[in-house]
PDB file of all heavy atoms in Angstrom:
ATOM      1  N   ASN B 167     -26.683  92.297 -35.759  1.00  0.00           N
ATOM      2  CA  ASN B 167     -25.738  92.550 -36.822  1.00  0.00           C
ATOM      3  C   ASN B 167     -24.538  91.632 -36.767  1.00  0.00           C
ATOM      4  O   ASN B 167     -23.511  91.876 -37.395  1.00  0.00           O
ATOM      5  CB  ASN B 167     -25.320  94.006 -36.861  1.00  0.00           C
ATOM      6  CG  ASN B 167     -24.650  94.387 -35.553  1.00  0.00           C
ATOM      7  OD1 ASN B 167     -24.684  93.629 -34.598  1.00  0.00           O
ATOM      8  ND2 ASN B 167     -24.048  95.536 -35.551  1.00  0.00           N
ATOM      9  N   VAL B 168     -24.686  90.561 -35.930  1.00  0.00           N
ATOM     10  CA  VAL B 168     -23.508  89.645 -35.798  1.00  0.00           C
ATOM     11  C   VAL B 168     -23.788  88.303 -36.442  1.00  0.00           C
ATOM     12  O   VAL B 168     -24.805  87.669 -36.149  1.00  0.00           O
ATOM     13  CB  VAL B 168     -23.151  89.462 -34.313  1.00  0.00           C
ATOM     14  CG1 VAL B 168     -21.982  88.468 -34.188  1.00  0.00           C
ATOM     15  CG2 VAL B 168     -22.732  90.799 -33.679  1.00  0.00           C
ATOM     16  N   LEU B 169     -22.901  87.917 -37.345  1.00  0.00           N
ATOM     17  CA  LEU B 169     -22.978  86.634 -37.951  1.00  0.00           C
ATOM     18  C   LEU B 169     -22.046  85.688 -37.204  1.00  0.00           C
ATOM     19  O   LEU B 169     -20.903  86.026 -36.934  1.00  0.00           O
ATOM     20  CB  LEU B 169     -22.512  86.791 -39.408  1.00  0.00           C
ATOM     21  CG  LEU B 169     -22.233  85.504 -40.226  1.00  0.00           C
ATOM     22  CD1 LEU B 169     -23.469  84.698 -40.471  1.00  0.00           C
ATOM     23  CD2 LEU B 169     -21.539  85.847 -41.539  1.00  0.00           C
ATOM     24  N   THR B 170     -22.611  84.503 -36.790  1.00  0.00           N
ATOM     25  CA  THR B 170     -21.775  83.574 -36.003  1.00  0.00           C
ATOM     26  C   THR B 170     -21.506  82.323 -36.832  1.00  0.00           C
ATOM     27  O   THR B 170     -22.466  81.744 -37.415  1.00  0.00           O
ATOM     28  CB  THR B 170     -22.497  83.183 -34.717  1.00  0.00           C
ATOM     29  OG1 THR B 170     -22.755  84.400 -33.967  1.00  0.00           O
ATOM     30  CG2 THR B 170     -21.689  82.262 -33.857  1.00  0.00           C
ATOM     31  N   VAL B 171     -20.294  81.919 -36.871  1.00  0.00           N
ATOM     32  CA  VAL B 171     -19.951  80.654 -37.555  1.00  0.00           C
ATOM     33  C   VAL B 171     -19.372  79.736 -36.559  1.00  0.00           C
ATOM     34  O   VAL B 171     -18.501  80.107 -35.719  1.00  0.00           O
ATOM     35  CB  VAL B 171     -18.864  80.951 -38.653  1.00  0.00           C
ATOM     36  CG1 VAL B 171     -18.641  79.706 -39.489  1.00  0.00           C
ATOM     37  CG2 VAL B 171     -19.255  82.124 -39.504  1.00  0.00           C
ATOM     38  N   ARG B 172     -19.816  78.516 -36.553  1.00  0.00           N
ATOM     39  CA  ARG B 172     -19.201  77.507 -35.689  1.00  0.00           C
ATOM     40  C   ARG B 172     -19.197  76.151 -36.417  1.00  0.00           C
ATOM     41  O   ARG B 172     -19.909  75.954 -37.387  1.00  0.00           O
ATOM     42  CB  ARG B 172     -19.870  77.367 -34.348  1.00  0.00           C
ATOM     43  CG  ARG B 172     -21.299  76.818 -34.443  1.00  0.00           C
ATOM     44  CD  ARG B 172     -21.802  76.533 -33.010  1.00  0.00           C
ATOM     45  NE  ARG B 172     -22.213  77.793 -32.335  1.00  0.00           N
ATOM     46  CZ  ARG B 172     -23.390  78.372 -32.503  1.00  0.00           C
ATOM     47  NH1 ARG B 172     -24.294  77.858 -33.327  1.00  0.00           N
ATOM     48  NH2 ARG B 172     -23.694  79.498 -31.912  1.00  0.00           N
ATOM     49  N   LEU B 173     -18.289  75.252 -35.964  1.00  0.00           N
ATOM     50  CA  LEU B 173     -18.257  73.916 -36.564  1.00  0.00           C
ATOM     51  C   LEU B 173     -19.470  73.160 -36.169  1.00  0.00           C
ATOM     52  O   LEU B 173     -19.914  73.221 -35.044  1.00  0.00           O
ATOM     53  CB  LEU B 173     -16.970  73.204 -36.112  1.00  0.00           C
ATOM     54  CG  LEU B 173     -15.648  73.757 -36.573  1.00  0.00           C
ATOM     55  CD1 LEU B 173     -14.522  72.955 -35.953  1.00  0.00           C
ATOM     56  CD2 LEU B 173     -15.554  73.741 -38.085  1.00  0.00           C
ATOM     57  N   SER B 174     -20.021  72.359 -37.087  1.00  0.00           N
ATOM     58  CA  SER B 174     -21.186  71.528 -36.751  1.00  0.00           C
ATOM     59  C   SER B 174     -20.693  70.401 -35.896  1.00  0.00           C
ATOM     60  O   SER B 174     -19.540  70.025 -35.829  1.00  0.00           O
ATOM     61  CB  SER B 174     -21.799  71.015 -38.040  1.00  0.00           C
ATOM     62  OG  SER B 174     -20.939  70.059 -38.647  1.00  0.00           O
ATOM     63  N   ASP B 175     -21.633  69.740 -35.157  1.00  0.00           N
ATOM     64  CA  ASP B 175     -21.261  68.704 -34.250  1.00  0.00           C
ATOM     65  C   ASP B 175     -20.654  67.517 -34.955  1.00  0.00           C
ATOM     66  O   ASP B 175     -19.675  66.920 -34.527  1.00  0.00           O
ATOM     67  CB  ASP B 175     -22.531  68.185 -33.492  1.00  0.00           C
ATOM     68  CG  ASP B 175     -22.951  69.196 -32.465  1.00  0.00           C
ATOM     69  OD1 ASP B 175     -22.138  70.151 -32.138  1.00  0.00           O
ATOM     70  OD2 ASP B 175     -24.116  69.111 -31.961  1.00  0.00           O
ATOM     71  N   ALA B 176     -21.154  67.205 -36.192  1.00  0.00           N
ATOM     72  CA  ALA B 176     -20.608  66.142 -37.002  1.00  0.00           C
ATOM     73  C   ALA B 176     -19.174  66.462 -37.358  1.00  0.00           C
ATOM     74  O   ALA B 176     -18.255  65.581 -37.199  1.00  0.00           O
ATOM     75  CB  ALA B 176     -21.444  65.900 -38.249  1.00  0.00           C
ATOM     76  N   GLU B 177     -18.936  67.686 -37.744  1.00  0.00           N
ATOM     77  CA  GLU B 177     -17.601  68.106 -38.116  1.00  0.00           C
ATOM     78  C   GLU B 177     -16.666  68.075 -36.893  1.00  0.00           C
ATOM     79  O   GLU B 177     -15.496  67.689 -36.960  1.00  0.00           O
ATOM     80  CB  GLU B 177     -17.588  69.475 -38.764  1.00  0.00           C
ATOM     81  CG  GLU B 177     -16.229  70.037 -39.118  1.00  0.00           C
ATOM     82  CD  GLU B 177     -15.479  69.202 -40.190  1.00  0.00           C
ATOM     83  OE1 GLU B 177     -16.137  68.335 -40.807  1.00  0.00           O
ATOM     84  OE2 GLU B 177     -14.287  69.441 -40.411  1.00  0.00           O
ATOM     85  N   LYS B 178     -17.203  68.491 -35.763  1.00  0.00           N
ATOM     86  CA  LYS B 178     -16.406  68.518 -34.526  1.00  0.00           C
ATOM     87  C   LYS B 178     -15.921  67.124 -34.208  1.00  0.00           C
ATOM     88  O   LYS B 178     -14.769  66.889 -33.916  1.00  0.00           O
ATOM     89  CB  LYS B 178     -17.178  69.055 -33.348  1.00  0.00           C
ATOM     90  CG  LYS B 178     -17.081  70.574 -33.262  1.00  0.00           C
ATOM     91  CD  LYS B 178     -17.773  71.097 -32.024  1.00  0.00           C
ATOM     92  CE  LYS B 178     -17.593  72.603 -31.919  1.00  0.00           C
ATOM     93  NZ  LYS B 178     -18.469  73.167 -30.880  1.00  0.00           N
TER      94      LYS B 178
END
Side-chain angles (χ1 to χ4, degrees):
Chain B
N167 59 349
V168 177
L169 166 68
T170 303
V171 188
R172 67 172 76 84
L173 293 177
S174 68
D175 289 344
E177 176 65 11
K178 273 185 178 169

